Amino acid sequence: MNHLLNRVQRHPRLFLGLIALLGAIWIIMGSQGSGRPAAQSRGPLSSQIAPRVGAQAPDFDLLTPDGSHIRLRDLRGKAVLINFWATWCSPCRAEMPTMQAMYDRYAAQGFTIVGVNMREPASVLPPFMPELGLTFPIVIDDGSTARAYTVITIPASFFIDADGIVRAHYLGPMSRSVLDASLDAVLPKIP
């Protein structure tokens, strides 16, 4: 034990770096686990997600691969799923067909998806979208929107209601049952 204490005293920065690395690994590994929406989870990870459930979703103004703007504020009045992803992310790719099916099913009820691609060149997206049959809007983030939403791992999804309030968030690939439960929190109720 004295040997370890002597090393810590001689190399405090190395020790702090190791602690920071272990903490980051703990946070990332914790985000992969439960299979529950983060809004329902307990523990250190759920308290570090921003924006919190019940808070206003941070606005963004991002470009599509063809140069069009999509602004979250322009989607007020709709239920919105914001999904952070990348083409190289296998879990992201795995959940996309289920998301597309939900988009097809609920778009007429005021539901839309904005796929926020994480820092990839616009040129990789046009061939990717038809490969998976994606028709919902895709935008490209330089990292600023991911920072505003405190995205630490992908896929990460935020369910926003018609008033722009976050009603649920989920870390990891979503199953159909997770999508159904989260959509129930944001879709307008039909009598």
Side-chain angles (χ1 to χ4, degrees):
M1 183 71 162
N2 285 337
H3 178 69
L4 179 61
L5 289 175
N6 287 336
R7 285 193 175 203
V8 168
Q9 289 173 343
R10 281 186 279 157
H11 306 287
R13 288 186 184 160
L14 180 64
F15 179 74
L16 291 174
L18 179 62
I19 295 298
L21 177 63
L22 291 173
I25 291 170
W26 179 71
I27 288 170
I28 291 169
M29 294 304 291
S31 73
Q32 304 296 321
S34 72
R36 294 178 299 181
Q40 297 175 1
S41 66
R42 300 278 186 252
L45 183 63
S46 63
S47 65
Q48 295 174 12
I49 301 296
R52 297 190 192 293
V53 171
Q56 188 75 37
D59 195 17
F60 56 77
D61 182 348
L62 297 172
L63 293 175
T64 64
D66 69 5
S68 303
H69 286 266
I70 293 185
R71 297 170 191 86
L72 183 59
R73 66 184 166 271
D74 294 342
L75 300 175
R76 284 283 170 90
K78 293 186 174 210
V80 180
L81 164 55
I82 301 169
N83 178 260
F84 291 87
W85 67 284
T87 60
W88 50 263
C89 168
S90 296
C92 301
R93 294 173 71 104
E95 73 180 353
M96 292 262 176
T98 304
M99 290 174 25
Q100 180 64 48
M102 299 304 271
Y103 178 73
D104 293 341
R105 182 174 178 191
Y106 293 108
Q109 294 179 28
F111 171 65
T112 193
I113 297 173
V114 178
V116 181
N117 181 269
M118 302 288 292
R119 296 181 178 227
E120 291 185 287
S123 61
V124 303
L125 299 176
F128 174 80
M129 294 170 67
E131 178 185 328
L132 291 180
L134 303 180
T135 61
F136 56 81
I138 302 288
V139 294
I140 303 163
D141 183 28
D142 64 1
S144 59
T145 303
R147 281 189 299 278
Y149 282 80
T150 316
V151 173
I152 57 172
T153 186
I154 57 174
S157 300
F158 294 82
F159 294 83
I160 315 299
D161 71 12
D163 296 320
I165 305 298
V166 177
R167 294 297 173 197
H169 55 80
Y170 190 81
L171 301 176
M174 295 180 289
S175 66
R176 178 68 181 248
S177 62
V178 167
L179 267 166
D180 285 338
S182 299
L183 281 174
D184 191 49
V186 296
L187 278 176
K189 304 301 180 230
I190 297 176

